[in-house]
Amino acid sequence: MKLLVIEDDATTLAYIKKGFVEQGHIVDTAENGPDGLFFATSNSYDLVVLDRMLPKMDGLALLAAMRAATIKTPVIILSALGHVDERIKGLKAGGDDYLAKPFSFQELYIRASILVERYSASPQDNGPATELSIDDLVMDLVGHKVLRAGKELTIQPKEFQLLRYLLEHQDQVISRTLLFESVWDYHFDPKTNVIDVHVAKLRKKLEENGQAPLIHTVRGAGYVVRTL
Amino acid sequence: MWSERFKVFTRTSIWRFTLIFTLIVLLICTSILALVYQFTVGEQKRQIAQQVTITAQGFADLSESSSMTAKDFKTAIQQRIKRSNAVVLVLSHDAQVIGNLNSLPQELPEFPTLRHFPIAVVDHLGDTTVEILLGTNLQTRFGDLSIGLFDNNYQVLEKNFITASIVALILALVLTLISGFLLNRRVLSRVKQIAELTAHVKAGRLKSRLPISTKQDEFDMIAEQINQMLDEIDDLIGSVSQVTDNIAHDLRTPLSRIRISVEDSIDNDSAIYQSDQWKENLLDEIDNVIHTFNAMLELSRLEKGVQNKPSSSVNISTLCQDVFELAEPLAEDKNQRFTFVDNTHQNELGKPIFADANLLFRAVYNIVENAIKYTQIQGVISLAVNYSEIGVDISVIDNGPGIPEAQHEAVFKRLYRLDASRQEGGFGLGLSIVKAIAELHSGKLLLTSLSPGLSIRLSLPQNL
């Protein structure tokens, strides 16, 4: 994909650029507001990564100007202001996601992928999925059932949501924060092992008959669902 | 110096008030004096005019009577003069002048118009004085008749009255201004005390306080408020410096661990430093520092009330259910019995609460997480939500070790931990954040010791 990164801190900018380039993406960069706005309005991107505080033009003002120019490219706002009301302000201004600094590249990357995926999902896709599966695991989204090797598992509603989110993003590393936000829909960092405990519980259920693990821990990053 | 002081003085609101007040006093005085004048001097003057008119009318009627001869008319005038020396009558008849004046006064208007006119009177010592009379001229068939009455006494009275009035007004002006000045100086001195105090505080002398008199007036009230405010600020600064030590521990300790580790990795080629494990540990340490730091920043924000007032409608029972589901596995891991009791469905009051869902979730989760963390294995914890008279009560009850009654206040302080060695994980910011969130929602946080255990109740009003 093609990205535009607008960030005035050279180190952070290089860090983000390097990360995306290593993953084989094309990255344009701008170091101040007016340049960023120029790039955003004159080229077509799959995603814009926007710093909240920029020289010459505030990030939110830039975003508002972009949206006013009917550019619908998804935008992730990066900010040292991580508070909930700052987040709301950012999303209200037209941002699609909000990431507080400092952040791990993994986190940014997965959020970026999810946004781009969602944005490019065209309406002619065959409606919402009714079933998700990996290996010998099948999730029946209509009947709210989970089957492993044909055997139904007793699974609680939150565990169901957790598993569904992971399955919807197979092969993508999902951070604990992202998992919490998506499943619980509250914004704060519980910063305990509580998510790990939930995942461990779910994992135990999936592997109760000694089957191969499906949910894998990526140290320092989060979880990923994939077959080995 | 003096002019400068005067300027300051005249700028005060009390001085302006004094001026307005003086003006009102002068107006009132003038009105009263005018009224008094009308009832005394004015009345006398009207009576004299009336007498002149009556006398003139009498002679007019007399002269018109057909039986009246010139001789009889003159006799009537003579008799009238004899009867009252206050009356002056002069008849000019056949080029002769009769009466108690030796000539007709000039320029007297025709009856019934009256006018003042002067005459010269020579007394028995030969001194000439000027007297003022009020009179009119009456044309009769016997000749022009001038009629006048002495008005002198009332002229003097009027003059005296006006003089007295002016003196009284000046006195009133001076007295109100002086009392205004004295009042102003008193008030100004109290205001000056406050100004001096703020200057002291600005200069860093936070221990300065305002004197409070026993009068309990409005200035004492202000002074008391200011003193209380300063006490609080002083306390706050005191507690901040206490907290600094704790911050030093909570931030500096992991930072120095990181530093030592990295420094060692530079000097040392040990395989440990090549391992992912080492790097991940390092990342964890840094994340912890960032988290503590964020929590402290957030707490300051919450306490300062910078956060927007919560405004969305939140279903408390769903929120508590979510907290319960999030925390349940933690309790399960410790084999604790953790229950959620939702009493809101049994109540018709079921209205949503206006709150910030994210903050409230965080507060409730924090309480629950603490309860699970500090309650022993196989302990009992319950989360309950009830409607109260004012709104909603969320309570978390455990049968863990509890918190000694004496420390109930202290646990809300930043970075306070019961365990002085600070070995247990966590950031010591939890309960102070919960309290700040409760206050942001105009709610209360109540700790009650149970035997054994602890009950924490978060009471939120329906409307902020």
Side-chain angles (χ1 to χ4, degrees):
Chain A
M1 56 185 171
K2 193 175 169 195
L3 297 102
L4 171 63
V5 181
I6 311 169
E7 163 67 71
D8 60 321
D9 179 61
T11 314
T12 313
L13 185 62
Y15 173 65
I16 298 171
K17 184 173 179 174
K18 181 170 158 274
F20 279 107
V21 168
E22 274 172 4
Q23 299 289 330
H25 302 292
I26 303 156
V27 178
D28 280 354
T29 58
E31 291 185 23
N32 62 51
D35 287 357
L37 186 60
F38 175 76
F39 277 116
T41 50
S42 51
N43 299 317
S44 154
Y45 294 101
D46 296 310
L47 182 82
V48 175
V49 177
L50 174 66
D51 185 32
R52 169 83 171 70
M53 298 216 248
L54 288 168
K56 293 184 196 169
M57 187 183 200
D58 180 65
L60 291 189
L62 190 156
L63 183 54
M66 244 177 88
R67 293 300 185 227
T70 66
I71 290 164
K72 297 200 179 72
T73 314
V75 172
I76 294 184
I77 302 169
L78 296 180
S79 173
L81 311 167
H83 308 285
V84 174
D85 51 339
E86 285 299 333
R87 182 191 167 87
I88 291 168
K89 255 194 233 166
L91 299 185
K92 267 192 187 156
D96 298 274
D97 205 348
Y98 196 98
L99 195 55
K101 284 180 184 178
F103 57 91
S104 73
F105 180 74
Q106 281 282 6
E107 178 90 21
L108 175 64
Y109 186 73
I110 181 66
R111 282 174 188 263
S113 317
I114 288 169
L115 269 186
V116 171
E117 225 168 71
R118 196 198 297 158
Y119 181 68
S120 57
S122 41
Q124 66 260 33
D125 278 359
N126 31 354
T130 57
E131 204 180 88
L132 293 167
S133 66
I134 182 170
D135 199 23
D136 58 348
L137 180 83
V138 179
M139 264 190 110
D140 176 359
L141 299 183
V142 182
H144 266 260
K145 276 187 276 191
V146 180
L147 298 122
R148 182 103 207 236
K151 190 174 168 278
E152 186 175 341
L153 307 175
T154 43
I155 224 158
Q156 273 160 6
K158 281 284 185 272
E159 292 168 346
F160 189 87
Q161 280 173 266
L162 209 85
L163 183 59
R164 179 182 177 162
Y165 193 82
L166 288 169
L167 276 182
E168 277 172 344
H169 302 97
Q170 286 180 33
D171 296 325
Q172 290 174 332
V173 179
I174 309 290
S175 73
R176 287 167 181 83
T177 316
L178 191 58
L179 208 54
F180 173 70
E181 282 179 10
S182 319
V183 175
W184 268 270
D185 200 24
Y186 291 99
H187 293 289
F188 85 95
D189 180 9
K191 194 59 198 178
T192 56
N193 54 351
V194 67
I195 298 299
D196 295 335
V197 176
H198 277 272
V199 173
K201 236 181 111 188
L202 177 61
R203 199 183 255 156
K204 221 167 107 190
K205 286 185 180 177
L206 297 183
E207 296 158 19
E208 62 190 355
N209 294 321
Q211 285 114 324
L214 290 173
I215 305 175
H216 306 275
T217 309
V218 181
R219 288 238 11 149
Y223 295 100
V224 62
V225 162
R226 66 171 162 239
T227 46
L228 283 173
Chain B
M1 170 71 191
W2 273 100
S3 73
E4 189 54 42
R5 264 188 149 178
F6 184 71
K7 258 190 206 158
V8 170
F9 188 80
T10 51
R11 270 204 305 267
T12 60
S13 58
I14 295 188
W15 183 245
R16 277 200 304 277
F17 177 74
T18 305
L19 289 185
I20 293 168
F21 185 68
T22 308
L23 208 72
I24 292 169
V25 166
L26 289 184
L27 271 172
I28 292 172
C29 284
T30 313
S31 314
I32 291 172
L33 288 171
L35 213 67
V36 171
Y37 176 87
Q38 283 304 320
F39 277 105
T40 54
V41 183
E43 181 60 25
Q44 296 291 354
K45 282 174 83 178
R46 274 193 298 279
Q47 276 182 18
I48 288 171
Q50 216 177 351
Q51 274 180 39
V52 174
T53 310
I54 289 169
T55 311
Q57 193 60 51
F59 282 106
D61 292 348
L62 213 60
S63 71
E64 268 155 34
S65 152
S66 52
S67 60
M68 178 58 61
T69 61
K71 192 168 166 255
D72 285 345
F73 192 66
K74 280 182 213 162
T75 314
I77 292 173
Q78 299 286 4
Q79 278 175 349
R80 184 68 209 270
I81 294 167
K82 256 186 222 154
R83 238 187 17 244
S84 160
N85 53 5
V87 183
V88 170
L89 291 165
V90 190
L91 182 67
S92 128
H93 178 65
D94 304 338
Q96 270 190 294
V97 174
I98 306 169
N100 44 5
L101 282 188
N102 46 16
S103 72
L104 262 183
Q106 297 299 304
E107 291 166 15
L108 266 188
E110 289 302 317
F111 180 71
T113 313
L114 310 179
R115 184 187 286 171
H116 285 105
F117 66 96
I119 57 168
V121 176
V122 183
D123 63 13
H124 57 282
L125 294 170
D127 288 336
T128 305
T129 50
V130 173
E131 303 276 357
I132 303 291
L133 291 92
L134 183 67
T136 185
N137 190 45
L138 186 68
Q139 284 184 340
T140 68
R141 62 194 162 106
F142 309 108
D144 278 357
L145 176 66
S146 288
I147 300 154
L149 256 75
F150 281 96
D151 196 21
N152 250 24
N153 293 341
Y154 306 116
Q155 289 280 331
V156 173
L157 190 65
E158 188 177 25
K159 218 169 112 189
N160 287 347
F161 188 89
I162 290 170
T163 315
S165 297
I166 291 169
V167 171
L169 287 177
I170 291 172
L171 213 66
L173 177 79
V174 171
L175 284 179
T176 42
L177 285 184
I178 287 175
S179 50
F181 173 82
L182 292 177
L183 204 71
N184 205 359
R185 215 175 52 166
R186 231 183 77 76
V187 170
L188 216 58
S189 76
R190 302 291 293 267
V191 172
K192 227 165 117 188
Q193 282 180 343
I194 298 175
E196 275 168 8
L197 175 93
T198 49
H200 276 287
V201 172
K202 215 160 72 182
R205 290 189 289 279
L206 274 171
K207 297 277 179 216
S208 313
R209 293 293 180 271
L210 282 171
I212 293 172
S213 72
T214 49
K215 276 173 285 193
Q216 283 298 318
D217 59 11
E218 65 274 21
F219 281 103
D220 289 323
M221 271 154 63
I222 294 174
E224 238 164 81
Q225 291 281 333
I226 292 176
N227 286 352
Q228 278 173 16
M229 184 186 77
L230 285 173
D231 286 345
E232 211 156 290
I233 292 172
D234 205 27
D235 272 4
L236 214 66
I237 289 175
S239 68
V240 164
S241 59
Q242 278 169 23
V243 161
T244 316
D245 293 344
N246 295 342
I247 293 173
H249 185 279
D250 282 19
L251 289 180
R252 216 193 269 154
T253 311
L255 277 177
S256 51
R257 274 205 299 268
I258 294 164
R259 198 183 184 287
I260 291 165
S261 193
V262 172
E263 202 178 75
D264 198 36
S265 78
I266 295 169
D267 305 336
N268 194 327
D269 283 341
S270 159
I272 298 169
Y273 297 119
Q274 305 303 321
S275 72
D276 285 346
Q277 182 68 39
W278 177 75
K279 289 173 191 163
E280 277 159 13
N281 286 345
L282 215 56
L283 260 183
D284 277 352
E285 290 270 26
I286 292 171
D287 282 348
N288 277 342
V289 173
I290 289 166
H291 191 265
T292 306
F293 191 74
N294 284 345
M296 282 196 292
L297 279 181
E298 178 121 24
L299 183 60
S300 313
R301 276 171 69 84
L302 286 170
E303 284 179 345
K304 265 190 282 174
V306 179
Q307 196 99 20
N308 291 337
K309 275 276 167 194
S311 57
S312 58
S313 134
V314 173
N315 185 330
I316 292 294
S317 130
T318 315
L319 187 138
C320 289
Q321 178 73 37
D322 287 342
V323 170
F324 176 72
E325 281 175 13
L326 181 65
E328 208 184 359
L330 293 176
E332 240 168 66
D333 271 6
K334 288 182 81 174
N335 277 326
Q336 290 161 334
R337 195 150 59 85
F338 180 34
T339 52
F340 173 47
V341 188
D342 183 1
N343 292 321
T344 59
H345 295 311
Q346 304 159 6
N347 199 310
E348 283 307 305
L349 278 164
K351 289 175 203 154
I353 294 278
F354 282 92
D356 183 315
N358 290 316
L359 289 178
L360 208 54
F361 184 90
R362 175 172 186 171
V364 179
Y365 178 73
N366 231 317
I367 302 174
V368 169
E369 193 201 14
N370 262 330
I372 295 173
K373 187 157 96 186
Y374 292 108
T375 300
Q376 69 280 9
I377 285 168
Q378 288 185 328
V380 180
I381 298 144
S382 81
L383 166 66
V385 51
N386 293 291
Y387 281 116
S388 69
E389 270 169 37
I390 53 150
V392 69
D393 278 351
I394 300 163
S395 31
V396 177
I397 298 171
D398 67 55
N399 68 348
I403 296 172
E405 204 83 47
Q407 291 182 337
H408 280 192
E409 277 296 311
V411 288
F412 293 123
K413 287 188 178 154
R414 290 166 190 224
L415 302 167
Y416 185 89
R417 249 176 270 155
L418 292 177
D419 170 19
S421 68
R422 312 181 74 82
Q423 286 306 311
E424 187 76 45
F427 304 96
L429 288 165
L431 272 179
S432 27
I433 286 182
V434 172
K435 191 172 184 237
I437 292 173
E439 278 165 7
L440 194 74
H441 287 84
S442 316
K444 281 196 194 81
L445 199 60
L446 196 81
L447 262 64
T448 316
S449 280
L450 306 172
S451 45
L454 181 71
S455 150
I456 299 187
R457 195 171 76 216
L458 176 60
S459 286
L460 299 174
Q462 178 124 35
N463 291 305
L464 297 174

